[in-house]
Amino acid sequence: MTTSRRHRVGYAPGAYDLFHIGHLNILRHARSQCDYLVAGVVSDEMAERAKGRRPMIPLVERLEIVRSVKYVDAAFVETVPDKVETWKQVRFDVLFKGDDWRGTAKGDKLEQDFAAVGVEIVYFPYTVHTSSTQLRRALDVLAEPEGSFGPAAFGPDAQFNAGLRSIPGTTS
């Protein structure tokens, strides 16, 4: 007697801007819980709408980076804010998110919307010590022009150290 196990498709959406260890952790953990992993890379416009800023890395480059990660079987450009609309195109069985979404209004809505279509939501630990937002802040500090009243006014070492101090778990 043979038993056929259902092929489980996972979906891991994100901006994947300034690709870092947190992104890699999500993709690695996601792939361990499905047979086929699709990474949803949000478009520049969608990322700007959600975060108020365009990604630093353009979509075509973010897509290529994510597509090249060994845990990812396919990459999909996400162009609509409604994840259920994305599901209608990709047809995944499980959606992976960072646990910073758990218990939030956005996370609760996601769970309700996907319960209606039989998609499981799995949360993974958020990598607290690294995020694209923190990396962007550090880069912004480094990019301040000389002579400004920010950390750049005190020279390159002050710029670098100030950027590091804004990243939890680092010291100058």
Side-chain angles (χ1 to χ4, degrees):
M1 178 173 142
T2 61
T3 56
S4 71
R5 188 177 84 110
R6 189 176 180 293
H7 187 75
R8 185 167 150 111
V9 177
Y11 187 71
Y16 299 107
D17 194 19
L18 301 172
F19 196 89
H20 55 74
I21 192 67
H23 296 135
L24 187 61
N25 287 341
I26 289 267
L27 296 171
R28 178 186 306 121
H29 293 311
R31 185 61 175 88
S32 74
Q33 294 198 23
C34 62
D35 300 304
Y36 189 86
L37 179 62
V38 179
V41 181
V42 300
S43 69
D44 292 343
E45 296 76 20
M46 285 255 312
E48 184 174 19
R49 192 176 318 147
K51 299 188 180 221
R53 276 179 105 166
R54 289 181 81 75
M56 294 188 83
I57 308 298
L59 174 62
V60 68
E61 293 177 23
R62 291 182 289 121
L63 194 59
E64 185 61 27
I65 290 165
V66 171
R67 182 181 283 138
S68 298
V69 173
K70 72 179 182 178
Y71 308 110
V72 174
D73 295 297
F76 175 82
V77 177
E78 198 173 297
T79 59
V80 294
D82 183 352
K83 294 281 188 257
V84 174
E85 285 301 314
T86 299
W87 171 79
K88 288 176 183 176
Q89 296 174 45
V90 179
R91 294 296 178 164
F92 47 87
D93 304 298
V94 58
L95 182 131
F96 303 103
K97 290 300 284 181
D99 67 2
D100 56 321
W101 276 60
R102 187 191 311 260
T104 66
K106 289 192 308 188
D108 292 345
K109 180 173 179 356
L110 200 65
E111 290 175 28
Q112 287 177 342
D113 291 349
F114 279 111
V117 294
V119 171
E120 178 185 3
I121 306 297
V122 173
Y123 296 102
F124 292 127
Y126 182 72
T127 307
V128 179
H129 65 277
T130 305
S131 78
S132 297
T133 301
Q134 292 166 337
L135 291 171
R136 184 188 283 261
R137 280 188 203 130
L139 289 171
D140 286 346
V141 167
L142 291 172
E144 287 182 17
E146 292 296 327
S148 70
F149 291 104
F154 305 104
D157 290 341
Q159 280 179 281
F160 180 74
N161 291 336
L164 286 179
R165 280 193 298 275
S166 72
I167 302 172
T170 61
T171 58
S172 55

